[in-house]
Amino acid sequence: MNELKRKIEKFQSHPSFLLIVGLLAAAFFSATFLINRAISLEGGHWYWSAALRFVFTVLFIGFGFVLFIGFSYLKYVLKEYIDNFRFWTISGTIGFGFFYSLLCYAADFSPAWVVATTWQMTILASLFVLAFFGKKLSKKIWFFTFVIFIGVSLVNLSHIDTNNLEALFLGFFPVLIAAFSYPTGNQMVWEQKVKREQNSGDVRVFKNAFIKVFLLTLGSFPFWVILFFVTSPGLPSSGQYISVAMVSLLSGVIATSLFLYARHHANTTSKLILVDATQSGEVFFALFGEVLFLGALLPNLLGWLGLLLTLFGLYFLTRSK
């Protein structure tokens, strides 16, 4: 039995398996950019696109806990949240609150594929976050990350409207901040898991991706309440409820759980970087999805050059040590 368990754990931490799971997560994540853009084009307020996603996420996952495991399991998860309220609130606010509110805000100013490509800056951000938490990174990793930065910059320049530079900045800088927020929240959870392991604490919640999503989502709720009073968004439309529910299921539950699952089994720094880099798949999923379903135009020559340069950097980044 122990031998079988070791083989399963070895398989789960294999780079190829992590790559597949990460790309699968990216496919579901791309729904976020497409649906948020569609909501924006229909006049829906970005606040509700963001906040309702996390309300639905808690309902979906909480119902799943009760239905498949039992109410006592939900009570156990809620006890973890209450006992460690400060940690989950801080990590949830940074990793989910800041991250997603800014992505939804940017959807009002940029096409989905541009937001998705700019979002690849999270790969660069992840390196700074890992370095901040004491991880050592090679010069090759930093070099190819800089290549990604150049590619993302070209994509945004291809979309530039010299008569509306404000829209460019409002579509770029919020995503840039979001790109740092998401890996920071995730790494805080990863570090907390290691800390508890070293102190022989209860790490069961860190081994279940759905629990981590649930706890981070709950932790972001105070932020959404404050943001509501800051933005005064009015009421969401009936269609927005349905659209955001789809985002919650596809991205908030399925994609995020897959991504955190892969990150949990990434037992080295290079594997963590590999998992984070799989988000590059969102670019193509979002681009062709927007062309097919929202009637968007294909990128111009500069945009294609930026896309290719971004993917070139991501490819070699995943092969760097």
Side-chain angles (χ1 to χ4, degrees), residues 127 137-145 273 317 320-321:
L127 300 189
L137 306 170
S138 71
K139 292 181 179 179
K140 281 186 178 180
I141 288 176
W142 285 106
F143 173 76
F144 289 117
T145 301
I273 295 171
L317 179 63
S320 301
K321 299 295 183 180

Side-chain angles (χ1 to χ4, degrees), residues 27-169:
F28 285 104
F29 268 133
S30 66
T32 293
F33 304 106
L34 294 172
I35 296 175
N36 285 345
R37 182 59 175 172
I39 292 172
S40 175
L41 293 174
E42 293 174 359
H45 197 283
W46 62 268
Y47 170 83
W48 291 116
S49 298
L52 283 176
R53 165 182 164 171
F54 292 96
V55 173
F56 283 121
T57 298
V58 164
L59 293 176
F60 286 147
I61 299 180
F63 179 74
F65 286 156
V66 174
L67 181 64
F68 295 107
I69 307 177
F71 186 72
S72 60
Y73 192 74
L74 178 60
K75 288 173 61 178
Y76 161 71
V77 176
L78 290 174
K79 184 178 184 301
E80 162 66 27
Y81 173 68
I82 294 171
D83 290 345
N84 298 281
F85 175 80
R86 182 179 178 183
F87 169 75
W88 291 112
T89 298
I90 295 174
S91 57
T93 296
I94 296 173
F96 279 13
F98 292 171
F99 142 66
Y100 201 64
S101 61
L102 291 166
L103 278 189
C104 290
Y105 179 78
D108 280 358
F109 303 96
S110 294
W113 71 270
V114 174
V115 175
T117 305
T118 307
W119 174 241
Q120 301 315 303
M121 289 297 295
T122 193
I123 310 301
L124 172 62
S126 294
L127 300 189
F128 283 101
V129 171
L130 289 171
F132 177 79
F133 281 98
K135 311 300 181 185
K136 293 184 178 180
L137 306 170
S138 71
K139 292 181 179 179
K140 281 186 178 180
I141 288 176
W142 285 106
F143 173 76
F144 289 117
T145 301
F146 181 72
V147 171
I148 295 170
F149 174 77
I150 297 298
V152 169
S153 298
L154 290 177
V155 167
N156 278 273
L157 287 173
S158 74
H159 180 62
I160 192 171
D161 180 359
T162 55
N163 296 319
N164 191 11
L165 292 177
E166 181 183 8
L168 174 68
F169 292 129

Side-chain angles (χ1 to χ4, degrees), residues 166-205:
E166 181 183 8
L168 174 68
F169 292 129
L170 292 177
F172 174 75
F173 286 107
V175 181
L176 181 63
I177 298 171
F180 277 86
S181 301
Y182 189 62
T184 299
N186 286 331
Q187 192 62 27
M188 287 174 68
V189 174
W190 195 87
E191 296 290 337
Q192 182 73 0
K193 178 195 71 171
V194 174
K195 181 179 178 181
R196 286 200 194 179
E197 287 175 339
Q198 294 173 343
N199 296 326
S200 300
D202 183 4
V203 295
R204 286 177 294 172
V205 296

